[in-house]
């Protein structure tokens, strides 16, 4: 299923604040980090550690996973590109 990015903040509310960021690591398995995303408009923001930030500077593509809240629902996976890494 795909949805317009403008609907993402509304859709995410149903999944809660807890999610996982998945960052590619060419030297090994992907890095999966627990995050607490927030929205500024339709821009998703969250903090990451030094290693994940360094990996994103080299490859700005990542995913965020919100686990299914109930057995009858599906997980939400959002593929995105980084706009900026501090």
């Amino acid at each position: 299923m795909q949805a317009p990015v403008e609907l993402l903040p509304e859709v995410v509310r149903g999944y809660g604040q807890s999610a996982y960021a998945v960052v590619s690591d060419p030297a090994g398995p992907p890095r999966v980090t627990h995050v607490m995303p927030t929205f500024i408009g339709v821009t998703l923001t969250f903090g990451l550690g030094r290693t994940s930030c360094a990996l994103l500077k080299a490859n700005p593509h990542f995913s965020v996973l919100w686990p299914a809240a109930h057995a009858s629902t599906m997980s939400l996976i959002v593929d995105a590109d980084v706009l900026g890494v501090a």
Side-chain angles (χ1 to χ4, degrees):
M1 178 177 126
Q2 293 182 336
V5 71
E6 295 82 19
L7 297 178
L8 187 58
E10 182 181 332
V11 172
V12 166
R13 264 185 290 228
Y15 285 85
Q17 293 181 344
S18 184
Y20 297 92
V22 182
V23 178
S24 293
D25 185 345
R31 294 184 62 85
V32 179
T33 306
H34 181 258
V35 293
M36 301 292 278
T38 58
F39 283 92
I40 300 172
V42 295
T43 301
L44 186 64
T45 64
F46 51 86
L48 288 173
R50 288 184 310 219
T51 301
S52 292
C53 286
L55 290 168
L56 285 171
K57 286 180 182 177
N59 177 9
H61 309 295
F62 70 100
S63 298
V64 181
L65 163 70
W66 282 267
H70 307 283
S72 62
T73 61
M74 296 170 47
S75 296
L76 174 65
I77 301 171
V78 175
D79 295 319
D81 293 326
V82 171
L83 295 176
V85 178

